[in-house]
Amino acid sequence: MKKAPDLLYSEEEDALRSAVRDLLADHCDAPGVIARTESDAPQDLAAWKALADGMGLAGLLVPEAQGGQGATHREVAVVLEELGRAVAPVPYLTSAVVATEALLACGTEDLLADLASGRRIGALAVSLHVAAGGAYKVVRHEGGSLHGELTGIADATAADVLLVPADDGGLYAVDASRATVTPQVSLDLTRPLATVTLDGAPGRLLGDAEPAVRRALRSGAGLLASEQLGLAEWTLTETVRYLKERKQFNRSVGGFQALKHRLAQLWLEVVNLRAAARNAADALASGEDADVAVAVAQSYAASVAVHAAEEALQLHAGIGMTWEHPVHLYLKRAKADSIAYGTAGAHRAALAELVDLQAP
């Protein structure tokens, strides 16, 4: 008999959330994140070290026998909710989820242990916009060396090892120091993109690229919904708080009925997103109907996260338009996330195929 999905948080997950939130309050305050986006090093490697080394969160998906924590996608989802709330500039999704899932598909124990401990940061060299099962660019494998250029690689500038798909069907590990990594102009300043150029770089064959990339991108898409949930919850909470404080005509702006209706509608959307995101995380953890759950979550998540960030920007009025207020970082993250690991339209098309719902 099929098990019903568990959408509630356990006591352990609530404790994990509290610990991660406290850590991010110390490392990823809004002024610090904004200042970092203006620097040459947008990723906060100190926060990453605290998450990966101090708390052991980089290895949640890695079995204990391979140097990890042996947890599930449910715990990872809780971490990503908090990272979304803080719009934290750390390579957690790209390294601890996407690159780690690719390595788990290949069974590469030494690299898994390095990523799980946080000693190394990994990045899958597939453009951020590619959905699971979608076409992705490969490089040329010739005489044991890799040649080619790949664009739109998230967090490649922070990576120590790149997982590169080649034209012979293999997935290769490449030391990032042997590649030319050039930052690209990115809308999301907290998750920078880069172009990776390989000119005869040596690569170590890990396994077949297609199943590894598919598994990695599916988990990335499913758990991205939890990041989008955290982002939407923060923007809604901060907007409600601001509207209670701001006065107009000698009364709280939040008391105006038109704004109450907008916030109530947004709250309903966020609650529905929480259900979809938790269902995706639970399905990835159990392996039951994961493809359907991920497609449902990503069909819905992007519009809610973008809507929440847009409402926050508008309802914060003049202050929301300033660089000093962090709401612009949330809107940019929401917009960038809306095309990461496949657009909502791509996931709806995938969902229709999965449930055998033919187009008219």
Side-chain angles (χ1 to χ4, degrees):
M1 184 176 178
K2 184 178 175 182
K3 180 178 74 72
D6 182 5
L7 306 186
L8 302 179
Y9 298 98
S10 67
E11 291 183 8
E12 291 78 9
E13 289 165 353
D14 285 336
L16 174 61
R17 175 193 310 284
S18 179
V20 174
R21 187 173 297 187
D22 288 345
L23 185 149
L24 293 175
D26 293 335
H27 286 84
C28 292
D29 63 300
V33 173
I34 293 172
R36 187 165 291 281
T37 63
E38 298 173 323
S39 71
D40 295 331
Q43 290 103 340
D44 191 339
L45 297 185
W48 166 254
K49 182 175 176 59
L51 287 165
D53 187 24
M55 296 185 68
L57 300 183
L60 287 179
L61 291 179
V62 180
E64 291 184 30
Q66 295 172 292
Q69 303 298 320
T72 72
H73 299 79
R74 291 175 57 90
E75 289 80 15
V76 174
V78 170
V79 175
L80 282 167
E81 285 180 32
E82 292 308 307
L83 294 177
R85 287 180 62 89
V87 69
V90 294
Y92 190 85
L93 180 64
T94 48
S95 182
V97 176
V98 176
T100 295
E101 286 277 29
L103 291 176
L104 285 168
C106 296
T108 314
E109 294 193 7
D110 57 334
L111 274 179
L112 271 173
D114 285 347
L115 263 60
S117 66
R119 289 191 299 268
R120 303 177 78 182
I121 297 172
L124 181 65
V126 172
S127 293
L128 184 61
H129 72 276
V130 176
Y136 52 88
K137 190 175 180 182
V138 298
V139 299
R140 188 174 81 258
H141 181 259
E142 185 177 299
S145 300
L146 301 173
H147 306 261
E149 182 179 277
L150 302 166
T151 59
I153 311 303
D155 290 327
T157 53
D160 302 299
V161 59
L162 301 167
L163 309 182
V164 182
D167 58 2
D168 64 350
L171 184 68
Y172 290 84
V174 176
D175 193 312
S177 65
R178 303 300 297 271
T180 301
V181 180
T182 308
Q184 295 179 236
V185 176
S186 307
L187 174 62
D188 181 4
L189 302 175
T190 60
R191 180 173 287 145
L193 305 179
T195 297
V196 173
T197 305
L198 303 172
D199 187 10
R204 170 190 167 192
L205 179 61
L206 302 173
D208 294 336
E210 195 279 330
V213 171
R214 177 185 287 272
R215 173 174 173 170
L217 297 184
R218 185 184 71 168
S219 290
L223 292 172
L224 177 66
S226 292
E227 178 184 287
Q228 291 166 304
L229 169 61
L231 184 155
E233 286 184 332
W234 184 92
T235 50
L236 174 59
T237 300
E238 283 300 300
T239 303
V240 170
R241 182 190 62 77
Y242 177 73
L243 293 183
K244 286 181 177 179
E245 294 177 353
R246 185 183 172 201
K247 296 291 195 297
Q248 193 171 29
F249 304 116
N250 203 32
R251 62 180 290 192
S252 171
V253 172
F256 290 102
Q257 189 173 36
L259 298 189
K260 285 183 178 180
H261 287 175
R262 288 171 65 172
L263 293 172
Q265 176 61 38
L266 186 56
W267 181 83
L268 288 173
E269 293 177 14
V270 172
V271 169
N272 289 335
L273 173 54
R274 183 183 301 118
R278 291 301 293 167
N279 183 50
D282 188 67
L284 286 168
S286 67
E288 294 187 10
D289 292 333
D291 289 335
V292 170
V294 168
V296 168
Q298 277 305 319
S299 295
Y300 186 68
S303 61
V304 176
V306 171
H307 183 208
E310 288 177 341
E311 289 285 70
L313 185 70
Q314 289 186 16
L315 297 179
H316 274 80
I319 192 174
M321 299 297 293
T322 64
W323 186 263
E324 290 75 16
H325 195 282
V327 70
H328 66 94
L329 295 178
Y330 289 84
L331 179 57
K332 292 168 185 173
R333 173 68 71 88
K335 284 286 190 180
D337 281 356
S338 70
I339 61 172
Y341 306 119
T343 63
H347 287 286
R348 291 189 188 103
L351 179 60
E353 187 174 336
L354 287 167
V355 300
D356 197 24
L357 180 64
Q358 301 300 320

